[in-house]
Amino acid sequence: MSITKKLKKHVPHSKLSRKLWNDDMTMKKEIIKKLDLIADAFIDYIGIPLDVLDITVTGSYANYNYTPYSDIDLHIVVDYEELSDVENLPKEFFHAKKSFWNDRHDIKIKGIEVELYAQDSKEEHSSTGVYSLQDEKWLVEPKKFKTVIDKKSIMKKTTCYSLLWFAHTYLSTGFQNIFYFSEIKEQF
């Protein structure tokens, strides 16, 4: 695959994904219903009563930088402090449950994997796009990116990394493999 085709897969888009979003930047109703069902199943799976403050979609699919490799980040927002007086217990408990759940469930919507996370309501979240399923509105509205790509710079950096790899491999063989030396010399 050419470098141009590879780069195009990672270039920010001018619109949110049509798989999830309407043209007016609201989430499609069928997607909200599916994500709510997934969130409800995860909340039931957690096995303790939770006061869910919100359910949000965040990450690249709540933004313009989604790629074919992106997933839907579905966050269940709760107040950890209400759950325990034992320090870090809620965080470790939710992390274990999330990992176990995500490892055992292959959940996709329109071919996009859904990953769940129980987020503390007080946790700083640095995503540039956060959509509330409960309120059906943006908590943090995404901003479009400038999509100027410097192909020359990317090719130069790629070449540099290739040379470093060749040099590392040559040095790690104890200078015994002349092939790598020839490759490095040719690159220069």
Side-chain angles (χ1 to χ4, degrees):
M1 181 183 298
S2 74
I3 189 74
T4 303
K5 284 184 180 178
K6 287 179 183 177
L7 287 174
K8 281 186 178 180
K9 288 185 176 185
H10 297 282
V11 172
H13 303 270
S14 60
K15 291 186 176 219
L16 296 173
S17 172
R18 293 181 187 266
K19 290 181 178 183
L20 306 180
W21 305 98
N22 296 309
D23 287 336
D24 65 357
M25 293 180 60
T26 58
M27 187 172 278
K28 293 181 177 184
K29 295 290 185 194
E30 79 242 27
I31 302 300
I32 290 173
K33 287 179 186 173
K34 288 178 182 179
L35 290 173
D36 276 338
L37 287 171
I38 294 166
D40 288 345
F42 181 68
I43 292 164
D44 287 345
Y45 168 78
I46 288 174
I48 59 173
L50 290 178
D51 181 21
V52 175
L53 303 175
D54 203 349
I55 300 168
T56 62
V57 173
T58 185
S60 56
Y61 266 106
N63 214 315
Y64 299 96
N65 59 336
Y66 56 92
T67 73
Y69 313 104
S70 297
D71 59 9
I72 298 170
D73 296 306
L74 186 60
H75 288 207
I76 313 304
V77 182
V78 297
D79 184 354
Y80 283 15
E81 286 181 14
E82 289 185 12
L83 298 174
S84 174
D85 292 333
V86 179
E87 189 176 338
N88 290 328
L89 180 64
K91 183 177 184 175
E92 291 176 21
F93 171 76
F94 284 130
H95 181 74
K97 284 287 200 172
K98 171 200 89 103
S99 297
F100 195 77
W101 170 273
N102 287 328
D103 287 346
R104 284 157 182 73
H105 295 85
D106 184 24
I107 300 172
K108 293 184 180 181
I109 293 179
K110 297 203 174 199
I112 306 165
E113 185 178 347
V114 178
E115 182 177 38
L116 287 123
Y117 176 76
Q119 177 187 327
D120 185 1
S121 60
K122 292 169 187 69
E123 178 183 327
E124 282 194 37
H125 190 65
S126 61
S127 181
T128 55
V130 180
Y131 190 83
S132 168
L133 294 182
Q134 288 185 336
D135 297 332
E136 295 187 29
K137 70 175 188 174
W138 289 101
L139 302 177
V140 178
E141 190 169 325
K143 305 287 183 250
K144 292 185 181 181
F145 294 84
K146 293 180 181 177
T147 56
V148 177
I149 295 177
D150 184 355
K151 289 183 190 174
K152 257 187 182 176
S153 176
I154 292 171
M155 292 302 291
K156 191 175 181 181
K157 287 178 182 176
T158 303
T159 301
C160 179
Y161 287 123
S162 294
L163 287 172
L164 288 172
W165 179 84
F166 280 123
H168 170 74
T169 304
Y170 177 67
L171 293 172
S172 67
T173 63
F175 303 99
Q176 295 179 21
N177 193 334
I178 197 67
F179 167 77
Y180 294 111
F181 179 74
S182 299
E183 286 290 323
I184 293 168
K185 184 178 170 187
E186 190 177 309
Q187 289 287 331
F188 279 112

